[in-house]
Amino acid sequence: MEFSFLKTYNLFLLALFFLVLVDTLTLAKHEGITRHYKFNIQMQNVTRLCQTKNIVTVNGKFPGPRIIAREGDRLVIKVVNNVQHNVTIHWHGVRQLRSGWADGPAYITQCPIQRGQSYVYNFTIIGQRGTLFWHAHISWLRVTLYGPIVILPKKGVAYPFPQPFKEVPILFGEWWKADTEKIINQALQTGGPPNISDAYTINGLPGLLYNCSAKDTFKLKVKPGKTYLLRVVNAALNDELFFSIANHNLTVVEVDAVYVKPFNTNIILITPGQTTNILLKTKHFHPNATFLMSARPYATGPASFDNSTTTGILEYHKPSNNTKKSNIFPLLKPKLPIFNDTTFATSFVKKIRSLANAKFPANVPKKVDKQFFFTVGLGLNPCPKNQTCQGPNNTKLAASVNNVSFVQPNVALLQSHYFNQSKGVYTTDFPVNPPFKFNYTGNPPNNSFVTSGTKVVMLPFNTSVELVMQDTSIISAESHPLHLHGFNFFVVGQGFGNYNSSNDPANFNLVDPAERNTVGVPSGGWVAIRFLADNPGVWFMHCHLEVHTSWGLKMVWMVNDGKSPKQKLPPPPADLPKC
């Protein structure tokens, strides 16, 4: 009897063990894993346009290595600085939920990693899948320090579009023959605009339309009748870009790591800081032609810009029955819009809509706790005494948000905020509205000078925010790609001219607006966004045209801790760099 009981009991324990094991394995399948990467920041000689240049790289690669993870994975990336420059890395578009110490903008969430020092960026990818990218976030070092972040869905979860045959990262960049650190330092000293780039690049290669560059052309070899997922990233410093592939249609399926309602187009527009996933369906037969893939700028301001075109080649694998070795196929070129085609830009942006279905809802804040109205644009600073400056009428060019040109502190704001040491570092009086009203898109006011300061906006945890960003015509109207760290936001409305708070909100899209981390404020227009401040920490918002950020078009949101432990920012890691 006792033996029978023991036998039954043991069988029960065994069954329980198997149940727990199956449960654990099922959980493991859906729970993320930890992925380790090591980034050695080192100098590397690279030749482009027949000129060799010593550039800052990760692990000697340009562009830098690809990071691959699944939704829910933890990333542990050790960055070791072996160069003379101070360095930080930003994981652009990663939400960084309660991991603000790993966000990366210099003097905002961390002091830079100094020569010979290292820092481990440790964060988990929560509720995101798609294409993002990483880049340096100090001075102009991101010109060569950047690479793609590929976030795959959880295991067993399909894309909400046809499974591609192959996935290919397409990274746009900008190339200068000269040292970009010297270029921006000289521009900030003289007050004039910095020298424009010498070329744009696709995956680090300028392409065959530039002198001495035919061999430096990206080639994408494809098979007929297949679907390719192109993960497109604009990592250029200062230019929005049009992109097209000759004689091929593209289907946009995701922007900024958020799925969208698929739409067909033969041209995309992408601003610095944005990512776009597109499906490319190849022709069902070998077309006996090769096709240029081209990108060139969309530019709205009066300043000079690099009006050149970078190209790659789309080439079909030779059919197996083709025995001829020297087939020279005609090269077909795409037709891109002219550089200031705002009509195309506007109609393209309007097509981007969230999926907004049961599986991928668009959680747009319907109730707004706090409203903000920010003017974004250029301005001037007086020329220091005994100096000649290259801005208009012997001034220095500047940029601002609500006429405040942001002054970078010399200690990290997140540390100051966390340890309640704001005195002498920042003030919490950032203006909610422009300090004085004027016709923002009409004749500019007589006084174009900006004020300067390290001012921030404080937000209680879980505040729902509506922010209208208005371009101004001071110096000139211009499109500004604004990037918000720590959050995705919903683009609920946009238009041209001055925002009208009485009439415009009636047309807001609160059903399926685009969800993004970077949005273009239209030239001579406005954009309205909404987000929920559910991520405690210090979050940078800035123009992703690097020249405007250098001039001060940036500001900071500080989100206080919530009440529960899961709504609080954990203490800083032990290896957080010191200033």
Side-chain angles (χ1 to χ4, degrees):
M1 184 78 180
E2 192 181 327
F3 175 74
S4 166
F5 169 75
L6 280 173
K7 193 176 174 186
T8 309
Y9 181 67
N10 285 340
L11 281 169
F12 169 74
L13 282 179
L14 197 64
L16 195 66
F17 170 74
F18 274 114
L19 270 173
V20 169
L21 186 66
V22 167
D23 229 28
T24 309
L25 288 172
T26 310
L27 202 65
K29 187 182 170 187
H30 293 289
E31 288 237 327
I33 60 167
T34 300
R35 297 172 188 258
H36 293 266
Y37 287 87
K38 188 170 182 189
F39 277 20
N40 280 312
I41 311 290
Q42 60 193 67
M43 302 305 291
Q44 182 73 34
N45 279 338
V46 171
T47 304
R48 296 287 182 273
L49 312 176
C50 271
Q51 198 167 313
T52 302
K53 183 177 166 184
N54 204 224
I55 64 168
V56 186
T57 67
V58 167
N59 303 344
K61 292 182 176 177
F62 170 69
R66 187 185 319 183
I67 283 184
I68 298 182
R70 285 194 184 277
E71 180 188 341
D73 284 354
R74 183 165 156 239
L75 286 166
V76 177
I77 304 159
K78 185 175 185 177
V79 177
V80 184
N81 184 7
N82 303 302
V83 302
Q84 297 284 1
H85 304 281
N86 284 348
V87 169
T88 70
I89 303 289
H90 170 53
W91 318 95
H92 183 111
V94 173
R95 284 280 326 260
Q96 297 294 0
L97 284 158
R98 296 178 60 241
S99 55
W101 303 107
D103 192 41
Y107 301 103
I108 306 299
T109 58
Q110 68 167 98
C111 299
I113 308 163
Q114 297 173 29
R115 179 184 172 87
Q117 303 290 309
S118 67
Y119 180 45
V120 176
Y121 291 91
N122 186 336
F123 55 93
T124 301
I125 296 186
I126 300 167
Q128 291 183 280
R129 77 294 302 162
T131 303
L132 295 169
F133 71 118
W134 58 263
H135 61 77
H137 214 306
I138 183 166
S139 190
W140 276 26
L141 290 186
R142 76 176 179 87
V143 68
T144 57
L145 276 180
Y146 63 88
I149 302 176
V150 173
I151 308 168
L152 301 168
K154 289 180 178 180
K155 270 195 174 159
V157 178
Y159 293 130
F161 47 81
Q163 178 68 29
F165 169 69
K166 197 176 176 188
E167 303 186 5
V168 184
I170 302 282
L171 281 80
F172 300 131
E174 261 180 294
W175 183 264
W176 276 259
K177 291 178 182 175
D179 180 343
T180 41
E181 289 302 285
K182 285 181 182 163
I183 285 173
I184 185 55
N185 290 341
Q186 185 188 358
L188 292 176
Q189 206 177 339
T190 63
N195 291 348
I196 59 171
S197 54
D198 295 292
Y200 298 106
T201 56
I202 296 176
N203 292 346
L205 303 167
L208 43 80
L209 297 186
Y210 295 99
N211 283 341
C212 196
S213 188
K215 69 181 192 328
D216 291 326
T217 301
F218 172 69
K219 279 189 181 173
L220 176 57
K221 290 205 166 185
V222 296
K223 292 182 174 178
K226 301 285 184 191
T227 299
Y228 291 78
L229 178 67
L230 306 185
R231 294 178 173 271
V232 184
V233 174
N234 188 350
L237 249 66
N238 293 317
D239 289 278
E240 305 186 43
L241 294 166
F242 295 119
F243 172 68
S244 183
I245 302 175
N247 292 41
H248 285 75
N249 258 337
L250 309 169
T251 305
V252 175
V253 291
E254 178 227 294
V255 299
D256 292 3
V258 180
Y259 297 135
V260 298
K261 291 184 171 76
F263 65 92
N264 295 330
T265 180
N266 42 13
I267 300 159
I268 69 162
L269 170 68
I270 184 166
T271 79
Q274 287 183 341
T275 57
T276 307
N277 276 6
I278 48 181
L279 294 178
L280 163 72
K281 208 161 183 349
T282 58
K283 299 180 185 301
H284 286 290
F285 51 89
H286 193 286
N288 291 342
T290 51
F291 305 90
L292 271 192
M293 40 202 328
S294 305
R296 80 166 181 224
Y298 166 56
T300 51
S304 58
F305 61 96
D306 178 355
N307 194 11
S308 64
T309 305
T310 179
T311 52
I313 291 175
L314 182 77
E315 195 171 85
Y316 281 71
H317 282 282
K318 282 187 184 151
S320 50
N321 59 3
N322 191 335
T323 49
K324 288 184 190 172
K325 279 191 178 171
S326 58
N327 272 9
I328 305 292
F329 294 125
L331 184 62
L332 304 179
K333 295 180 182 178
K335 191 169 174 11
L336 285 166
I338 57 167
F339 73 87
N340 59 355
D341 192 341
T342 295
T343 306
F344 174 85
T346 308
S347 94
F348 177 81
V349 166
K350 280 185 176 166
K351 289 176 190 166
I352 299 170
R353 298 288 178 95
S354 290
L355 274 183
N357 58 22
K359 202 171 179 188
F360 301 103
N363 296 317
V364 191
K366 301 289 196 295
K367 179 181 77 74
V368 172
D369 298 323
K370 293 205 170 183
Q371 288 179 307
F372 297 88
F373 182 77
F374 289 179
T375 52
V376 294
L378 304 184
L380 300 171
N381 269 324
C383 189
K385 279 182 182 169
N386 307 322
Q387 191 186 325
T388 305
C389 293
Q390 291 175 0
N393 303 321
N394 194 38
T395 57
K396 287 182 129 179
L397 288 166
S400 68
V401 181
N402 273 355
N403 210 47
V404 179
S405 191
F406 186 82
V407 177
Q408 187 172 273
N410 49 21
V411 295
L413 292 180
L414 184 55
Q415 269 170 294
S416 309
H417 168 67
Y418 186 84
F419 293 110
N420 290 319
Q421 295 169 337
S422 62
K423 199 173 177 189
V425 182
Y426 65 86
T427 57
T428 57
D429 57 345
F430 189 91
V432 172
N433 291 293
F436 62 95
K437 288 184 174 178
F438 60 98
N439 180 0
Y440 306 115
T441 52
N443 290 328
N446 293 332
N447 181 4
S448 305
F449 287 127
V450 299
T451 60
S452 298
T454 312
K455 296 172 185 283
V456 307
V457 172
M458 301 297 297
L459 292 172
F461 184 81
N462 252 3
T463 304
S464 60
V465 173
E466 181 179 282
L467 166 64
V468 174
M469 292 182 280
Q470 170 77 56
D471 181 38
T472 73
S473 54
I474 297 175
I475 312 297
S476 80
E478 196 169 347
S479 174
H480 298 279
L482 262 290
H483 171 52
L484 175 61
H485 291 228
F487 302 95
N488 278 356
F489 51 76
F490 292 94
V491 185
V492 295
Q494 65 177 68
F496 290 100
N498 296 338
Y499 173 71
N500 184 315
S501 58
S502 304
N503 302 338
D504 288 325
N507 300 315
F508 282 1
N509 174 7
L510 303 179
V511 178
D512 62 350
E515 184 183 342
R516 315 204 64 135
N517 63 60
T518 305
V519 66
V521 178
S523 176
W526 56 270
V527 66
I529 66 170
R530 287 187 182 181
F531 66 95
L532 183 66
D534 59 353
N535 194 5
V538 170
W539 305 110
F540 206 21
M541 190 176 85
H542 60 95
C543 184
H544 226 274
L545 303 179
E546 211 57 41
V547 57
H548 292 171
T549 294
S550 302
W551 286 339
L553 210 167
K554 45 194 171 181
M555 58 79 66
V556 165
W557 303 90
M558 283 189 177
V559 179
N560 287 321
D561 282 350
K563 286 182 180 144
S564 80
K566 288 199 168 175
Q567 296 173 343
K568 294 181 193 301
L569 181 72
D575 65 338
L576 187 73
K578 292 176 173 59
C579 285

